[in-house]
Amino acid sequence: MSILIKNGRVITSSEDRMVDVYADSETITRIEENIDPSTLPDDTQIIDARNRYVFPGFIDPHVHIHLPFMGTNAIDDHESATKAALAGGTTSIIEMICPGPDDEPAAAYGQWSELAKAGACCDWSFHLGIVRFDDLAQRQVRDLVEHHGVRSFKIFLAYKGALDISDENLFKLMRLAKELDIVITAHCENAEAVDAMQQALVSEGKSGPEWHEPSRPRSVEVDGVNHLCTFAELTGARIYIVHTSCGDAVARAMAAQAAGVDVIVESVVPHLVLDSSWAQRGDFEGAKYVMSPPLRDPEEHDRLWEAIESRHVSTIGTDHAPFNFIGQKDMGRDAFTRIPNGIPSIQERVDLVHTYGVCAGRIDLQTMVNSCSTQAARTFGMYPRKGEIAIGSDADLVIYDPTHETPFCESDSLSRVDYCGYEGMERRGRAEVVVLRGRVVAREGQYVGDDAGGREIQRDFSTSAPS
């Protein structure tokens, strides 16, 4: 099967041009100003992209699907989450494997891998969470890198007693990461400070969702970034700071980068368009907007968008973590510390960035592609197979209608979660046709592909590097 996309405005992280794109089977084989359809096989599918953008498939580098939290699990499965991703223009995801402190890394990888193989409709890879790091875990980490292609690990400098890693094990892991040439992705806060503040607030009767942000202020996040960067400087490890929520944290990471630390910064879309007032909504409605790090004051939006425009923030993910408002988020009615964290965003991310970034004049189209696709591919060993429109790249393509205007609403979502975190907000633009490895898998917000049609992405750092 072959596919030809004609008359589109092709946007990559570095180019903006009017060209036709042809894919033979799963791979882009021709990019020319005018490809004559009569020269192609008779069964070639032709898509007219006139007055449309043609983007490389978008990559979400920070997703939770099978996510345990305080006795419950995120409501999506791999089928629903990846169909939602594709409907929104995301053709590849990197999911966080989140084992508990007693789980073996190899068993966790096996469990998540089988779930993805059985249900994922888009292409996928994993960051493996490291909580346990005894001798057995260290041997398994080596094996997963050397024989199973794991190229990035996730650590938490948060969630005391549940997911946090000791400094002793952090140092060992980062030395191992340097040796094995893998990336350490990190949730940066100060676990001890957060725990102490949460206990104090709840004991004072300050138990509603509006107290979540005061329990983990910006200074706690900046401290976590500083801590991680210090260990990276000592070990030479490559680090990737996830869901950076404030300008001060970005500035601390950039200072470390200027001093020679190999650090890359991610933001996630909730921090770019929502603010702390959403978590202060009455009747417990604010629980829908509890995530960590929390939503900040509105002025942080400008600081983060400026960092994306300057490319100090390299990537925009989602931290998609879908928990129902009824039956899951309301576990925390008596204490905000028991509210499952997360704002579902896997389907909405690209349109939010286009609406509130590009259309608002904060970033241009090439920066949108860079932060929502290309830099994730470069950082995590998928480039140029993913994140690019070039001969030899996978035919992951998004034909995007920038004129579409409908508000965000829960009824449009293919995720199983029972609310939309962006309900009623303006939306400008939509993925009209989504192509995964040469196959049309979504049209106008609906999934039209095969079930479980995704593949695990083979990652190789020798062919890609951040820029």
Side-chain angles (χ1 to χ4, degrees):
M1 185 69 176
S2 57
I3 191 167
L4 172 64
I5 299 173
K6 284 196 65 68
N7 306 315
R9 181 181 168 187
V10 174
I11 312 287
T12 69
S13 64
S14 59
E15 294 184 322
D16 182 344
R17 53 186 176 149
M18 298 294 297
V19 288
D20 295 346
V21 180
Y22 175 73
D24 182 11
S25 186
E26 299 186 349
T27 306
I28 297 170
T29 57
R30 295 173 66 181
I31 302 174
E32 300 167 18
E33 287 188 3
N34 181 32
I35 299 175
D36 184 352
S38 67
T39 65
L40 304 177
D42 292 341
D43 64 349
T44 298
Q45 183 176 4
I46 301 173
I47 298 175
D48 187 354
R50 193 180 313 271
N51 300 320
R52 303 291 187 261
Y53 303 140
V54 181
F55 295 129
F58 293 103
I59 301 168
D60 191 337
H62 188 167
V63 169
H64 298 279
I65 300 175
H66 179 63
L67 175 61
F69 192 97
M70 292 190 177
T72 190
N73 279 85
I75 202 67
D76 269 335
D77 59 16
H78 284 80
E79 178 183 356
S80 62
T82 56
K83 285 181 177 179
L86 287 162
T90 293
T91 55
S92 300
I93 62 168
I94 308 181
E95 182 186 3
M96 302 287 186
I97 298 175
C98 293
D102 297 323
D103 297 332
E104 294 183 14
Y109 173 80
Q111 179 187 7
W112 262 260
S113 184
E114 289 303 312
L115 290 169
K117 288 176 183 176
C121 298
C122 73
D123 289 353
W124 79 88
S125 187
F126 297 113
H127 306 300
L128 175 58
I130 298 296
V131 183
R132 171 180 174 177
F133 205 58
D134 55 16
D135 289 344
L136 174 63
Q138 292 179 49
R139 292 195 299 271
Q140 290 184 356
V141 165
R142 285 185 177 275
D143 181 72
L144 288 166
V145 172
E146 294 171 6
H147 299 112
H148 297 275
V150 178
R151 292 292 180 267
S152 49
F153 291 86
K154 172 74 177 288
I155 59 166
F156 292 88
L157 305 184
Y159 306 113
K160 179 181 176 181
L163 297 175
D164 60 323
I165 186 170
S166 70
D167 279 354
E168 177 185 2
N169 286 337
L170 176 61
F171 188 79
K172 290 178 181 178
L173 175 62
M174 293 182 76
R175 289 187 66 182
L176 183 61
K178 174 63 175 177
E179 175 191 339
L180 299 178
D181 190 27
I182 57 176
V183 181
I184 297 296
T185 75
H187 175 138
C188 290
E189 292 182 285
N190 182 309
E192 295 285 347
V194 170
D195 182 67
M197 287 188 289
Q198 287 183 337
Q199 289 188 46
L201 286 167
V202 172
S203 70
E204 294 167 5
K206 298 173 180 177
S207 59
E210 68 273 18
W211 295 103
H212 176 71
E213 195 279 337
S215 79
R216 43 205 330 147
R218 281 168 278 206
S219 58
V220 166
E221 183 179 354
V222 175
D223 183 69
V225 170
N226 184 71
H227 193 76
L228 180 76
C229 288
T230 298
F231 276 61
E233 184 177 14
L234 293 171
T235 61
R238 187 186 317 164
I239 56 174
Y240 177 93
I241 301 173
V242 303
H243 52 40
T244 311
S245 74
C246 61
D248 287 350
V250 175
R252 179 62 193 91
M254 290 302 97
Q257 188 181 83
V261 174
D262 192 348
V263 54
I264 298 162
V265 178
E266 167 197 276
S267 190
V268 293
V269 76
H271 288 135
L272 299 173
V273 300
L274 304 174
D275 62 58
S276 55
S277 67
W278 293 70
Q280 296 165 8
R281 292 182 166 189
D283 297 326
F284 199 64
E285 191 81 8
K288 295 178 179 178
Y289 301 97
V290 167
M291 65 177 293
S292 297
L295 299 175
R296 304 295 188 190
D297 294 336
E299 60 263 26
E300 293 295 352
H301 292 171
D302 287 339
R303 299 182 73 188
L304 291 175
W305 282 114
E306 288 167 5
I308 293 164
E309 193 276 334
S310 67
R311 305 201 177 185
H312 290 163
V313 167
S314 294
T315 60
I316 303 174
T318 58
D319 197 11
H320 178 74
F323 292 95
N324 279 341
F325 181 57
I326 304 299
Q328 292 187 301
K329 288 278 190 176
D330 55 9
M331 291 165 48
R333 281 193 177 273
D334 294 330
F336 67 85
T337 54
R338 296 194 57 82
I339 299 172
N341 280 211
I343 302 173
S345 308
I346 200 168
Q347 186 168 333
E348 297 85 358
R349 175 185 63 133
V350 172
D351 295 345
L352 286 164
V353 173
H354 182 257
T355 303
Y356 296 95
V358 176
C359 296
R362 286 166 156 157
I363 60 172
D364 60 23
L365 287 165
Q366 289 168 246
T367 301
M368 173 180 166
V369 171
N370 186 69
S371 58
C372 292
S373 183
T374 308
Q375 282 305 315
R378 288 183 178 276
T379 298
F380 294 110
M382 299 183 284
Y383 187 86
R385 180 179 170 189
K386 304 290 188 183
E388 186 61 275
I389 298 177
I391 292 173
S393 297
D394 280 1
D396 298 345
L397 300 161
V398 177
I399 294 86
Y400 196 84
D401 177 6
T403 68
H404 180 86
E405 293 191 24
T406 56
F408 290 98
C409 63
E410 187 271 333
S411 61
D412 288 340
S413 176
L414 302 188
S415 170
R416 291 180 175 172
V417 71
D418 65 1
Y419 72 99
C420 172
Y422 311 93
E423 189 76 33
M425 290 177 61
E426 178 186 13
R427 176 172 67 158
R428 298 175 63 185
R430 179 178 69 173
E432 189 169 79
V433 180
V434 181
V435 178
L436 174 65
R437 286 182 278 102
R439 297 175 293 115
V440 173
V441 292
R443 290 185 182 273
E444 298 179 346
Q446 297 300 311
Y447 183 74
V448 298
D450 298 328
D451 289 342
R455 293 181 188 168
E456 186 165 8
I457 301 165
Q458 302 304 308
R459 291 157 58 185
D460 181 2
F461 287 133
S462 67
T463 60
S464 64
S467 66

